[in-house]
Amino acid sequence: MARARVEDAATRSGATVEVVPAEEIGRRVGDGEAVVVVDLDRAGPDGLARLGEVAGRARVIGYFSHVDEELGRKARAQGVEALPRGRFWRELPAILAGG
């Protein structure tokens, strides 16, 4: 369901979506050309480390359950713009539109 919501917001903003497996993210993201969206609740420690590798090359935005602020702090330490899930869904259209 989250993927469909991201795809819908992307279509409305004129952006394109490419689903990339976590293990390929470092190879598939170029410098400054992408916004990486990730469900931090599903990423796990290895996923956070991978996101840290690309955070300097792309805008990485992750969403998490508002009750797990520790996960948000860990993601921010990796350079991820970590947002509670509700805020993420409210702001997604603006994020994809470049805001």
Side-chain angles (χ1 to χ4, degrees):
M1 183 151 142
R3 180 177 171 178
R5 288 179 77 178
V6 170
E7 289 173 343
D8 180 59
T11 299
R12 291 173 187 259
S13 70
T16 58
V17 174
E18 180 180 357
V19 177
V20 177
E23 57 275 0
E24 292 183 25
I25 198 163
R27 293 187 304 271
R28 303 277 295 273
V29 174
D31 291 336
E33 68 183 38
V35 174
V36 176
V37 175
V38 64
D39 179 346
L40 296 170
D41 294 321
R42 298 186 70 194
D46 290 341
L48 284 179
R50 281 190 209 97
L51 293 173
E53 294 171 10
V54 298
R57 299 188 332 236
R59 184 175 182 193
V60 180
I61 302 169
Y63 60 93
F64 62 95
S65 171
H66 71 282
V67 298
D68 195 356
E69 188 56 43
E70 179 63 22
L71 177 58
R73 280 192 289 280
K74 287 179 181 178
R76 288 182 198 104
Q78 293 292 329
V80 175
E81 295 176 49
L83 303 172
R85 186 176 288 113
R87 180 176 166 200
F88 169 80
W89 290 120
R90 282 190 307 277
E91 295 181 9
L92 182 61
I95 290 168
L96 295 177

